[in-house]
Amino acid sequence: MPFEFATATRIIFGAGKLAGAPNAIEPFGRRVLVVTGRNPNRAEPLLGLLSNFDCTTHCVPGEPKIADVQAGLAAAREVDAVIAIGGGSAIDAGKAIAALATNPGEPLDYLEVIGRGQPLTEAPLPFIAIPTTAGTGAEVTRNAVLASPEHRVKVSLRHPRMLPAVAIVDPELTHDLPPAITAATGMDALTQLIEPFICRRANPLTDALCRAAIPRAAAALPAAFAGEKEARADMAFASLCGGLALANSGLGAVHGFAAPLGGMFNAPHGALCAALLPHAFAANQKHAPKRFAEIEQMLGTEDGPGWLRALAADLAIPGLATYGIGEDDFPTIIAKAKAASSMKANPVDLTDEELAGILCAAL
């Protein structure tokens, strides 16, 4: 089947690879903006390596809002490159800052769903992504997910030019992740391998990535949650493969729901995906049994939904009701989810009743 495949210009993977960051960054210039997550101390190893660079830092305290990106733009216009170190929030914020720093107008000119969705006209600043979690795969995707509190939704800024110039994936940076974050980001990684494999835009290259990574993630996630550092490398690889796959095929109902839910409620993206995954799997499986049977084989089970529910329970994943989500919210959630870009790649068009069933089961 016809397809395209694009990713970061350069991917550097392996334990200890952060040490090579200065050599990877220097060709772009020595004036850099370093975007960090809510805990800027996690950037200290990188900043120590960049002592000969002119570094400005910008902290994003949570999942990025449009305002967080706008706050970083002034500093970005005075630098040669943007580096993001942290989880998916920091990386998405850095990616958006790098893109908007060189393009005229306002963020809403370029955002999907709530904005005008215009393409970028100018090349972004060189962007270097350094993940410190194993979940989002944002280091190799071409979009940045931003929250708009006034619209109560999360939407993407998306363009092929937003692919990072360099992605440095060092599993050692994930060794000190607490169990709850390991669980939520790890389930997000697994979701981002399952959904691209079953989505309507799957292709042979993304299939190969998913087949290589799903069995690793299935085995490594419980071990990483239990504190086994050796499993962190497999989870970092799984997250990377998920990012490569979703950027070149698509996602599905889980992420279709996660976008409006994350905008409407104070709930972390990974935890939302983890709560939804078993039930979206079951709803879609009825329509594409052969494809899902292969996933079950990779997971080592004959009952995919049951296996995923058991994994979520073992990882202490909370239900959606934890975040104040109730049945009265379903009509609004479903209407917004059906408009989400991820839902358009779901293997089938699920009915409103099926979508409500997923939400109800995930409460």
Side-chain angles (χ1 to χ4, degrees):
M1 62 182 297
F3 65 89
E4 294 184 13
F5 192 96
T7 190
T9 304
R10 184 182 180 195
I11 299 171
I12 303 168
F13 182 96
K17 290 298 184 180
L18 180 67
N23 289 336
I25 297 165
E26 189 170 26
F28 304 109
R30 288 182 169 268
R31 298 179 306 161
V32 298
L33 173 65
V34 179
V35 179
T36 72
R38 64 166 51 91
N39 181 5
N41 293 333
R42 293 181 68 80
E44 287 182 356
L46 172 67
L47 293 173
L49 293 168
L50 300 181
S51 58
N52 292 327
F53 286 68
D54 181 5
C55 296
T56 302
T57 60
H58 176 61
C59 177
V60 178
E63 295 190 356
K65 302 177 180 65
I66 297 172
D68 294 321
V69 171
Q70 290 175 310
L73 287 177
R77 292 190 174 101
E78 304 296 326
V79 301
D80 302 313
V82 177
I83 306 163
I85 180 167
S89 295
I91 292 174
D92 275 0
K95 202 182 301 180
I97 290 169
L100 294 174
T102 59
N103 282 273
E106 300 296 324
L108 283 174
D109 292 332
Y110 306 99
L111 285 169
E112 298 175 346
V113 183
I114 62 171
R116 287 172 278 283
Q118 296 175 357
L120 301 179
T121 58
E122 304 296 331
L125 289 171
F127 177 64
I128 297 91
I130 306 174
T132 61
T133 64
T136 69
E139 67 272 14
V140 288
T141 61
R142 65 186 79 189
N143 71 302
V145 180
L146 306 179
S148 174
E150 57 268 39
H151 294 91
R152 299 186 71 204
V153 72
K154 291 180 180 178
V155 294
S156 279
L157 173 67
R158 188 188 313 271
H159 196 277
R161 284 178 163 181
M162 291 174 62
L163 285 164
V166 182
I168 301 173
V169 185
D170 185 341
E172 290 183 350
L173 297 177
T174 71
H175 282 184
D176 61 349
L177 283 180
I181 295 178
T182 298
T185 57
M187 286 293 281
D188 191 18
L190 185 58
T191 304
Q192 291 177 170
L193 290 164
I194 290 174
E195 289 201 305
F197 189 77
I198 55 91
C199 82
R200 63 184 69 187
R201 296 198 296 265
N203 66 67
L205 272 181
T206 58
D207 283 355
L209 289 162
C210 295
R211 288 186 176 112
I214 288 174
R216 288 195 190 206
L221 180 50
F225 181 73
E228 295 182 21
K229 291 183 177 180
E230 295 78 8
R232 298 286 187 180
D234 277 342
M235 286 308 303
F237 176 76
S239 178
L240 173 66
C241 288
L244 292 167
L246 75 88
N248 289 282
S249 56
L251 290 163
V254 173
H255 282 81
F257 275 128
L261 286 171
M264 294 171 65
F265 301 91
N266 184 22
H269 172 79
L272 291 173
C273 292
L276 290 161
L277 177 60
H279 314 295
F281 190 105
N284 279 309
Q285 187 177 30
K286 301 172 186 176
H287 301 282
K290 289 185 179 180
R291 199 69 164 163
F292 282 83
E294 185 173 354
I295 293 175
E296 289 175 327
Q297 185 177 19
M298 288 187 275
L299 296 175
T301 181
E302 295 181 354
D303 177 12
W307 188 93
L308 291 168
R309 286 194 300 271
L311 176 62
D314 291 343
L315 299 180
I317 297 296
L320 297 183
T322 303
Y323 308 106
I325 301 167
E327 292 189 21
D328 290 346
D329 302 303
F330 287 5
T332 301
I333 295 168
I334 290 169
K336 290 186 175 184
K338 288 169 70 175
S341 58
S342 293
M343 190 67 80
K344 293 176 172 58
N346 200 62
V348 295
D349 293 328
L350 296 171
T351 66
D352 286 8
E353 290 75 19
E354 288 174 311
L355 294 172
I358 294 171
L359 290 172
C360 188
L363 289 177

